[in-house]
Amino acid sequence: MNVFVVNCGSSSLKYQLIHSDTEKVIAKGLCERIGIDGRLTHKPAGKEEVVREVSMPDHKSAVSFVLEALTDKDFGVIKDLSEIDAVGHRVVHGGEKFAGSVLITEEVIQAIEECNELAPLHNPANLIGISACRALMPKVPMAAVFDTAFHQTMPKKAYLYGLPYAYYEDYKIRKYGFHGTSHSFVSKRLIELIGKENQESKTIICHLGNGSSVTAVRDGESVDTSMGFTPLDGLIMGTRSGSIDPAVVEYLANKLNCSLDDVINILNKKSGVEGISGVSSDFRDLDKASMDGNERAAAALDMFAYRVAQFIGAYAASMNGVDAIAFTAGIGENNFKVRQAVCNYLGYLGVEIDETANARRGEEIRISTDGSKTAVYVIPTNEELAIARETVALL
Ligand code: AMP
């Protein structure tokens, strides 16, 4: 079965065509600057990448260009659209309505719309992608796979905030958590690797990328996670502050004489390791600057690792132990220094890192020694494959 996986942003659309039996990517690509001008980058497996500057006034035209590219006689990978058997859509927020992936129907679309106010930058774009695909492939079954769904198993004590209860009931203010597709994919694999599929298991997944979150997974279910009502909470990230004292928001608005929206924008886009270092949000730049003696870059790296270690400690405490920890996403898979720095805090868990294994990059590998009391792995995440698997499972 060929599954077309779509991840739609407000002005971009990422896609992959995945063959579900072999789990091979047949083609992948990206539409950028939708609604501005438009650029399609299309990479068919085993062939040269194709880049086309084409006018994309809206998402429907973007999807249409992608479908043309997939069926093009020179750089296409399928004869016609009948070879697309299903579409899997990434949807950021499913609120409390979706605790798993679902096949898309009119009712599902309406329920996703009702979650729009919880993710105003993302859900409307995801819905536009869904309706563009439905218009162009009306007979093809489609699934919605939510970033929040995996975390719907969190107990109340983990997801409620210390606010008047009425705000939860009336406004749905609670911790939702994000990166669920990745945490689910990586935790399943980690549980397999430690041979605990049918036993009790306590694992912690560190998804460390430009956006970062840590999740406590007990017996395969999310029981707590570091992101909250929005993806701004928790760890220090590339440009996001992570958790801060909420009183800072008003104080800063007064100092800068700006609106609350402006402060939230600062917390989302100008903070994190970029704001601290003044260098970059990219950990490769921070590593280099730190080696060149830049103290703020070094401080940003230290702070990042410290916070990750704090969450690991908190979750080891909440689960009363941890069998294994996994690092994933851009930083987790590629940056051995960050992994080492985090693990340096974990002596009390009996963590011992094998430096040779930890020096490897971007591959699935156990990085703790055989004698390490808690096992530590690097497991590359693959959200597109996870979406394709979910879609096939629903069909
Ligand atoms: P993500 O959001 O998962 O794409 O992660 C972005 C972060 O991962 C950036 O801070 C990069 O420094 C880091 N990263 C991604 N790829 C690499 C790589 N090949 N080598 C080192 N760091 C990388």
Side-chain angles (χ1 to χ4, degrees), residues 53-64:
E53 310 280 340
V54 275
S55 160
M56 293 178 188
D58 54 31
H59 285 75
K60 191 168 166 200
S61 59
V63 175
S64 176

Side-chain angles (χ1 to χ4, degrees), residues 179 207-212 238 273 280-287 328-336 361-362 381 383:
H179 294 141
H207 176 112
L208 309 180
N210 207 16
S212 295
V273 291
S280 169
S281 62
D282 192 303
F283 276 59
R284 286 166 285 200
D285 301 334
L286 292 173
D287 276 338
T328 193
I331 299 161
E333 291 166 29
N334 293 296
N335 195 312
F336 73 93
R361 228 177 67 179
T381 192
E383 289 169 277

Side-chain angles (χ1 to χ4, degrees), residues 35 71 79 83 149 165 177 192 268 288 298 300 306-307 334 356 394:
T71 51
K79 275 205 304 294
E83 291 184 41
Y165 196 77
E192 262 170 36
N268 266 310
K288 184 169 179 308
Y306 179 65
R307 295 284 182 100
N334 293 296
T356 313
L394 283 167

Side-chain angles (χ1 to χ4, degrees), residues 148 150-161 174-180 183-184 187 203-207 213-229 233-234 310-319:
T148 50
F150 181 60
H151 301 298
Q152 281 295 304
T153 44
M154 281 188 291
K156 229 173 192 167
K157 64 183 174 188
Y159 73 68
L160 276 186
Y161 290 128
R174 51 161 283 177
K175 177 188 283 197
Y176 289 100
F178 298 86
H179 294 141
H183 286 296
S184 162
S187 60
T203 57
I204 296 176
I205 311 303
C206 306
H207 176 112
S213 63
V214 180
T215 295
V217 181
R218 185 164 199 158
D219 305 336
E221 293 188 341
S222 170
V223 289
D224 207 344
T225 191
S226 61
M227 281 180 171
F229 179 63
D233 200 7
Q310 282 185 314
F311 272 103
I312 293 174
Y315 294 159
S318 41
M319 293 190 291

